[in-house]
Amino acid sequence: EADIYQTPRYLVIGTGKKITLECSQTMGHDKMYWYQQDPGMELHLIHYSYGVNSTEKGDLSSESTVSRIRTEHFPLTLESARPSHTSQYLCASSGAGNTIYFGEGSWLTVV
Amino acid sequence: KQEVTQIPAALSVPEGENLVLNCSFTDSAIYNLQWFRQDPGKGLTSLLLIQSSQREQTSGRLNASLDKSSGRSTLYIAASQPGDSATYLCAVYPPLKFYFGSGTKLNVKP
């Protein structure tokens, strides 16, 4: 069982609010990822990190930002949420074995 | 750029049937291929990992094969059960990034 945790699982917020989605893993993995997935649709990589102080934008343009100050922690922040940000956000990590593990996901609804 | 395709997009079968899900990728230079299961509203659960040097992996009623040269992988599910109903995704690792297919939505009818 993978040890990767996301909070909150479900969140409803108003337009213009700032939100941070938390992601932590206890496996010591150097690589971490954020994916965005609308219901029934494919996964889109929005951010990734290969280690502390390393962050890159993914294939899908996103207005969110990430930070990687500690190995185990990879939070995603939306400075001003909009209804178009309503989606499921999935955090993942991988280590030397190159197996990717996912958290349970965070469902964000912006009203 | 690596592209991953899964066929069919959806599949509905009666309980007890054996079935095959397909995954194809355009660049054969991969480190490994993983199959996942995703239940509605949940994250992805890893089912099987095949390293590039391997031809297949088995776990219970699941068997995954890999043909790197042709850019194909199949997931075989034996004696399907209603609890197998979910979306199944494959992902390749070239490396540096994982590339995912769009998934096959499986419905196993009792």
Side-chain angles (χ1 to χ4, degrees):
Chain A
E1 191 73 22
D3 295 320
I4 181 164
Y5 307 101
Q6 291 186 238
T7 57
R9 289 291 322 280
Y10 304 93
L11 181 65
V12 180
I13 61 171
T15 298
K17 297 292 186 185
K18 177 180 179 179
I19 175 65
T20 296
L21 304 180
E22 302 286 350
C23 177
S24 294
Q25 49 96 5
T26 58
M27 298 171 282
H29 287 167
D30 50 0
K31 304 181 193 71
M32 296 189 74
Y33 314 84
W34 276 104
Y35 290 86
Q36 185 175 345
Q37 185 184 35
D38 293 327
M41 304 298 285
E42 59 190 276
L43 289 158
H44 293 287
L45 179 66
I46 52 174
H47 297 283
Y48 59 100
S49 167
Y50 291 146
V52 171
N53 295 325
S54 151
T55 61
E56 302 286 344
K57 289 190 179 295
D59 302 319
L60 181 68
S61 175
S62 173
E63 294 164 345
S64 58
T65 59
V66 292
S67 63
R68 190 86 182 276
I69 299 172
R70 302 196 317 264
T71 298
E72 64 271 22
H73 195 213
F74 191 40
L76 180 144
T77 298
L78 279 166
E79 290 292 336
S80 180
R82 296 207 300 268
S84 61
H85 296 140
T86 294
S87 189
Q88 181 179 209
Y89 294 85
L90 290 163
C91 182
S93 71
S94 67
N98 297 322
T99 302
I100 187 168
Y101 298 95
F102 281 83
E104 285 287 310
S106 292
W107 278 100
L108 175 65
T109 301
V110 184
V111 297
Chain B
K1 180 177 176 253
Q2 179 75 264
E3 291 185 6
V4 182
T5 304
Q6 290 188 246
I7 295 172
L11 184 62
S12 184
V13 299
E15 181 177 5
E17 252 192 39
N18 302 324
L19 54 100
V20 174
L21 308 181
N22 297 291
C23 171
S24 61
F25 46 96
T26 53
D27 188 343
S28 61
I30 63 169
Y31 275 12
N32 63 45
L33 183 144
Q34 248 178 293
W35 280 94
F36 296 87
R37 169 188 174 133
Q38 185 177 31
D39 293 295
K42 298 289 186 67
L44 278 68
T45 300
S46 181
L47 297 173
L48 289 164
L49 169 72
I50 311 177
Q51 300 290 354
S52 62
S53 57
Q54 298 174 319
R55 298 284 295 187
E56 65 179 294
Q57 281 286 340
T58 298
S59 175
R61 294 182 294 107
L62 305 179
N63 175 276
S65 67
L66 174 64
D67 184 342
K68 246 182 53 167
S69 60
S70 66
R72 295 173 62 182
S73 176
T74 60
L75 178 67
Y76 176 83
I77 303 177
S80 59
Q81 303 170 357
D84 294 331
S85 297
T87 296
Y88 291 80
L89 295 96
C90 66
V92 296
Y93 186 68
L96 297 182
K97 283 189 207 177
F98 292 87
Y99 290 88
F100 286 83
S102 53
T104 293
K105 187 173 183 179
L106 174 65
N107 178 37
V108 181
K109 298 172 288 187

